[in-house]
């Protein structure tokens, strides 16, 4: 049936009812590129503009007028002088000097931010000259360095070692059992999706509305040839780079079950869902085990309880073991636990979620089309993919190609991977003498003296608290720097010893499983899960449900007081 044509009178009436007034937004709509930049991009631009205001004020300029609307753009010499100020007042991350890419990014943010605020454009020849000057002149003068982070790849072998250590070694810091389940699930979905960290783990200041929510996952059962079913799901990424409408625009990643426990994200997700009573129609795991897909159907969509849709799946857990109902796991806490877990298994290099992203990117590059690759990584520019994600070391065995022989890959995988930055037995603490030297550090002693003076003079509590925070932060910085240097020296000595002993002497590092073994006796489910984590066994449906039951037990276990098996209180009375 043809759609009825809207009359002019009907259209005018509908527009008026919806609040339309001719020319009401003329002034606002005359502005070009008003919403060209995302909030995150504007935040970075504002940092550059704030520095520019401060720099201009030092020279006697009014802070407001230097970025007033239609103010003339600074000349070329002024721009270069400002960039030199930025370089000399900043500290590099890769080395003491800033690197070319950082200075180029800063210059671009300044140019674009200045135009956004003042509506004044720069002469294109000036911006081009500045970019060339940064790349060539400043590098030649030695003011900045053309240095880049190595693009190391996180591999399947690295993942297995990390997962096994999380479940079998003593924890380097307190990890609540729900956090252990969350950490494992999160590492796996990062490895299999290639997502940026912000897609799943929010910064603290954005935690209220971000993080994976149950509404972001679509579950369904799917029939398999033996007549039983597996559980699959789609995980939607909302907070991806340059997504301006995260409420409606999402980027889905498909997940399915794996035959082995260690790679089966579904089991960890189900444990968290049952702990949160999030799954509609199932009050227990046995209910789910009894489910069949109706005859004639190959899939059965599942759904979440309405009250669970907005709840974060990965949630904050306090040191006291309190699991937040609404606060998601934040980036600071996740990275802290991940870093400790990596160091616990001997990794001393810089390994981040982007390292994991690099690892998947190099695998996908060999088996997906450019369009499929772009869809997975939300990266449409093939030049950026090749420049930013492909490993620094070639994946081609040129020797084998030239000699027309079968290619070897083990040496390439080692050179591309992070296992070069792993040494078993890596120290997790500083020696006592180094720890003592930090306590006797002149800056630390000065800060301690300052705190005593504030307390003695009955200073404001805020001032005292600020001074204590500054002392705590400085001690941590000194410890982190000292531990990093100590580890670097330890690794060098260990590797020298392996050479000098010709590899014939056995390394006698302490096996840090003593506490874990005690916990296994108190929590038998931990022991069973640890055994499955080290196994390559294909799990049956019954074994999968049992694994979820054990994971659920850990997620919901009260750790305030731990009882031995079969000695738990009955109706709050100790047996």
């Amino acid at each position: 049936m043809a759609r009825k044509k809207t009359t002019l009178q009907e259209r005018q009436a509908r527009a008026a009812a919806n609040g339309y007034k001719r020319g009401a937004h003329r002034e606002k709509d005359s502005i070009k590129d008003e919403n060209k930049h995302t909030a995150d991009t504007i935040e970075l631009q504002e940092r550059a503009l704030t520095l520019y205001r401060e720099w201009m004020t030092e020279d006697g300029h009014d802070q407001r007028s230097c970025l007033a609307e239609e103010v003339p753009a600074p000349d070329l010499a002024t721009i270069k002088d400002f960039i030199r100020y930025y370089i000399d007042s900043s500290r590099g991350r890769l080395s003491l000097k800033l690197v070319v890419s950082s200075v180029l990014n800063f210059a671009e943010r300044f140019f674009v931010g200045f135009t956004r605020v003042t509506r004044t454009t720069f002469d294109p020849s000036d911006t081009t000259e500045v970019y060339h000057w940064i790349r060539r002149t400043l590098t030649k003068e030695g003011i900045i360095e053309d240095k880049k982070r190595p693009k190391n790849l996180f591999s399947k072998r690295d993942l297995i070692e990390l997962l096994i250590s999380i479940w079998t070694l003593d924890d380097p810091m307190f990890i609540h059992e729900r956090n252990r389940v969350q950490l494992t699930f999160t590492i796996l979905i990062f490895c299999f999706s290639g997502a940026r960290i912000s897609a799943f783990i929010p910064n603290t200041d954005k935690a209220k509305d971000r993080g994976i929510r149950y509404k972001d996952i679509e579950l369904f059962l799917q029939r398999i040839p033996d007549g039983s079913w597996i559980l699959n799901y789609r995980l939607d990424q909302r907070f991806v780079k340059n997504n301006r409408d995260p409420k409606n625009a999402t980027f889905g990643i498909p997940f399915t079950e794996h035959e082995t426990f260690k790679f089966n994200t579904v089991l960890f997700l189900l444990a968290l869902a049952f702990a949160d009573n999030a799954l509609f129609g199932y009050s227990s795991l046995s209910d789910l085990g009894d489910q069949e897909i109706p005859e004639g159907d190959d899939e059965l969509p599942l759904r979440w309880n309405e009250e669970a849709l907005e709840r974060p799946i990965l949630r904050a857990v306090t040191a006291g073991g309190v699991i937040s109902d609404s606060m998601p796991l934040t980036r600071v806490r996740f990275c802290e636990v991940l870093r400790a877990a990596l160091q616990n298994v001997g990794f001393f290099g810089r390994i981040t979620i982007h390292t994991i992203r690099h690892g998947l990117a190099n695998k996908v590059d060999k088996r997906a089309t450019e369009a499929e690759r772009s869809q997975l990584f939300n990266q449409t520019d093939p030049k950026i993919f090749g420049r930013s994600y492909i490993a620094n070391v070639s994946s081609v065995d040129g020797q084998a190609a030239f000699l027309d022989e079968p290619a070897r890959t083990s040496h390439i995988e080692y050179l591309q991977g992070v296992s070069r930055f792993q040494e078993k037995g890596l120290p997790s603490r500083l020696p006592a003498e180094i720890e003592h030297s930090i306590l006797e550090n002149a800056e630390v002693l000065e800060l301690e003296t300052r705190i005593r003076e504030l307390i003695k003079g009955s200073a404001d509590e805020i001032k005292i608290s600020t001074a204590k925070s500054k002392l705590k932060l400085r001690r941590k910085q000194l410890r982190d720097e000292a531990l990093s240097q100590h580890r670097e020296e330890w690794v060098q000595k260990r590797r020298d010893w392996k050479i000098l002993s010709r590899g014939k002497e056995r390394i006698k590092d302490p096996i840090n499983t003593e506490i874990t073994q005690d916990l296994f006796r108190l929590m038998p489910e931990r022991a069973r899960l640890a055994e499955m984590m080290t196994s390559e066994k294909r799990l049956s449906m019954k074994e999968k449900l049992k694994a979820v039951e054990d994971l659920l037990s850990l997620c919901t276990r009260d750790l305030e007081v731990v009882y031995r098996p079969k000695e738990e209180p009955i109706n709050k009375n100790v047996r």
Side-chain angles (χ1 to χ4, degrees):
M1 184 176 177
R3 187 174 179 180
K4 181 183 175 182
K5 186 177 179 180
T6 305
T7 66
L8 176 61
Q9 291 77 15
E10 288 173 333
R11 186 174 297 280
Q12 290 173 340
R14 188 180 301 143
N18 287 325
Y20 172 77
K21 292 181 181 179
R22 182 184 291 273
H25 301 280
R26 187 175 184 81
E27 184 178 344
K28 182 180 179 182
D29 291 346
S30 65
I31 300 173
K32 296 180 180 179
D33 297 333
E34 185 180 14
N35 292 304
K36 181 178 180 180
H37 309 290
T38 64
D40 290 341
T41 301
I42 290 174
E43 183 180 337
L44 294 171
Q45 292 172 5
E46 285 298 324
R47 292 180 192 175
L49 295 180
T50 298
L51 188 65
Y52 179 70
R53 286 191 194 96
E54 294 170 352
W55 180 71
M56 290 291 284
T57 303
E58 286 181 9
D59 199 33
H61 290 79
D62 179 66
Q63 199 171 54
R64 294 180 184 176
S65 64
C66 64
L67 287 172
E69 194 166 329
E70 297 186 359
V71 69
D75 60 32
L76 187 59
T78 302
I79 296 169
K80 290 183 176 181
D81 194 25
F82 171 56
I83 290 175
R84 286 184 183 274
Y85 170 74
Y86 163 69
I87 294 169
D88 289 338
S89 63
S90 303
R91 182 180 178 184
R93 291 186 177 182
L94 293 180
S95 63
L96 292 177
K97 296 179 180 180
L98 293 188
V99 297
V100 171
S101 58
S102 295
V103 181
L104 286 172
N105 288 336
F106 176 82
E108 182 182 16
R109 289 163 188 162
F110 170 68
F111 290 142
V112 178
F114 186 96
T115 298
R116 175 180 57 82
V117 171
T118 66
R119 308 293 173 191
T120 302
T121 58
F122 287 86
D123 185 331
S125 64
D126 282 353
T127 56
T128 301
E129 161 60 22
V130 168
Y131 292 143
H132 287 170
W133 172 74
I134 290 170
R135 289 191 184 95
R136 299 170 184 172
T137 306
L138 293 184
T139 305
K140 187 176 181 180
E141 292 177 1
I143 295 172
I144 59 177
E145 296 177 333
D146 192 8
K147 192 175 183 180
K148 297 178 178 65
R149 289 192 189 279
K151 299 181 186 70
N152 300 312
L153 312 180
F154 194 77
S155 68
K156 178 181 176 181
R157 185 179 81 170
D158 304 320
L159 173 62
I160 291 171
E161 287 208 52
L162 177 59
L163 294 178
I164 290 176
S165 74
I166 290 170
W167 288 88
T168 62
L169 300 184
D170 292 348
D171 297 327
M173 59 191 298
F174 172 73
I175 299 178
H176 190 280
E177 293 304 323
R178 171 153 183 147
N179 259 348
R180 193 183 311 280
V181 175
Q182 292 184 160
L183 178 65
T184 306
F185 175 68
T186 310
I187 290 170
L188 287 173
I189 61 174
F190 275 125
C191 284
F192 302 157
S193 70
R196 295 179 175 88
I197 188 169
S198 57
F200 302 145
I201 308 291
N203 287 332
T204 305
D205 60 339
K206 297 176 181 175
K208 183 180 178 182
D209 303 311
R210 296 197 178 189
I212 307 174
R213 312 274 165 160
Y214 281 105
K215 68 178 181 181
D216 297 324
I217 291 184
E218 177 187 343
L219 291 170
F220 65 97
L221 304 182
Q222 188 171 53
R223 193 186 303 278
I224 54 177
D226 67 4
S228 61
W229 50 258
I230 58 173
L231 198 155
N232 306 312
Y233 63 97
R234 162 183 165 157
L235 172 57
D236 283 338
Q237 298 181 65
R238 295 179 183 274
F239 303 100
V240 300
K241 199 172 183 179
N242 296 323
N243 184 12
R244 299 172 186 276
D245 188 12
K247 184 178 179 180
N248 299 303
T250 60
F251 302 85
I253 303 292
F255 288 85
T256 189
E257 289 198 46
H258 194 274
E259 296 169 334
T260 61
F261 172 70
K262 66 170 69 70
F263 300 138
N264 196 328
T265 63
V266 170
L267 305 185
F268 297 92
L269 174 60
L270 280 177
L272 295 169
F274 274 102
D276 296 340
N277 191 29
L279 201 53
F280 171 80
Y282 304 104
S283 58
S284 67
L285 281 167
S286 60
D287 289 344
L288 180 61
D290 289 339
Q291 180 68 58
E292 295 181 3
I293 297 177
E295 190 174 344
D297 293 339
D298 287 325
E299 287 83 24
L300 175 63
L302 306 183
R303 73 177 181 89
W304 305 110
N305 289 318
E306 290 294 323
E307 62 272 18
L309 290 175
E310 295 292 338
R311 189 179 301 158
I313 298 175
L314 308 172
R315 304 227 292 281
V317 183
T318 68
V322 178
I323 302 170
S324 172
D325 194 52
S326 59
M327 182 68 174
L329 176 67
T330 60
R331 182 171 182 159
V332 171
R333 178 59 178 166
F334 171 75
C335 289
E336 180 184 23
V337 177
L338 177 61
R339 209 163 30 240
L342 286 164
Q343 291 170 357
N344 203 33
V345 77
F347 288 108
F348 58 88
R350 185 176 186 272
I351 301 174
T352 65
I353 295 303
H354 226 61
T355 312
I356 294 175
R357 184 173 165 89
H358 288 158
L360 179 62
N362 276 259
K363 295 291 186 183
V364 168
D365 192 47
K366 298 178 179 68
R367 61 170 67 191
T369 65
E370 188 177 299
E372 291 169 337
R373 190 184 68 196
S374 298
Q375 184 183 33
L376 178 63
F377 289 95
N378 293 305
Q379 186 59 267
T380 55
D381 189 342
K383 293 180 181 178
I384 291 178
F385 187 89
R387 186 170 66 241
S388 301
Y389 293 98
I390 301 301
N392 296 97
V393 177
S394 172
S395 298
V396 178
D397 183 353
Q399 173 181 303
F402 185 86
L403 299 175
D404 197 22
E405 296 175 351
R408 285 185 59 217
T409 59
S410 58
H411 63 304
I412 296 173
E413 289 170 358
Y414 174 78
L415 292 170
Q416 290 181 339
V418 297
S419 57
R420 287 184 298 144
F421 308 104
Q422 182 185 21
E423 195 66 49
K424 300 291 177 64
L426 188 74
S428 58
R429 292 189 179 92
L430 284 169
E433 62 270 19
I434 299 178
E435 187 71 49
H436 180 72
S437 69
I438 292 172
L439 298 177
E440 296 298 318
N441 177 274
E443 192 177 348
V444 168
L445 294 175
E446 185 180 338
L447 289 169
E448 288 175 343
T449 301
R450 175 60 179 158
I451 292 170
R452 286 194 294 270
E453 290 172 352
L454 289 171
I455 295 172
K456 188 176 180 180
S458 301
D460 184 86
E461 280 296 323
I462 296 177
K463 287 184 178 180
I464 295 173
S465 178
T466 301
K468 287 182 177 179
S469 296
K470 190 175 180 180
L471 172 62
K472 184 179 179 181
L473 177 62
R474 188 58 188 140
R475 280 177 179 161
K476 184 180 183 305
Q477 289 172 338
L478 290 170
R479 284 194 181 99
D480 289 346
E481 290 169 4
L483 183 57
S484 178
Q485 183 179 347
H486 174 61
R487 282 173 172 158
E488 189 177 323
E489 293 171 354
W490 182 91
V491 168
Q492 188 62 62
K493 288 179 181 177
R494 168 62 62 93
R495 292 183 173 180
D496 288 350
W497 174 79
K498 287 179 180 179
I499 294 169
L500 296 175
S501 66
R502 302 297 182 259
K504 296 175 181 177
E505 293 187 31
R506 188 175 180 181
I507 298 171
K508 298 178 181 178
D509 289 323
I511 301 174
N512 56 334
T513 60
E514 186 177 345
I515 297 173
T516 302
Q517 292 300 321
D518 289 338
L519 287 173
F520 285 172
R521 285 187 280 273
L522 291 170
M523 295 185 279
E525 64 268 44
R526 266 285 305 271
R528 290 192 292 270
L529 292 167
E531 184 177 352
M532 280 193 285
M533 188 61 75
T534 60
S535 171
E536 297 297 327
K537 180 183 177 183
R538 298 171 61 176
L539 300 182
S540 65
M541 173 67 79
K542 184 177 180 181
E543 289 169 324
K544 289 177 184 176
L545 291 174
K546 178 59 181 172
V548 177
E549 182 182 326
D550 284 343
L551 289 167
L552 177 59
S553 173
L554 291 181
C555 287
T556 56
R557 182 183 270 274
D558 182 2
L559 297 178
E560 189 172 344
V561 179
V562 181
Y563 297 89
R564 289 183 295 187
K566 299 182 180 180
E567 293 186 6
E568 300 89 349
I570 300 176
N571 297 326
K572 298 184 179 180
N573 296 315
V574 179
R575 300 185 193 187

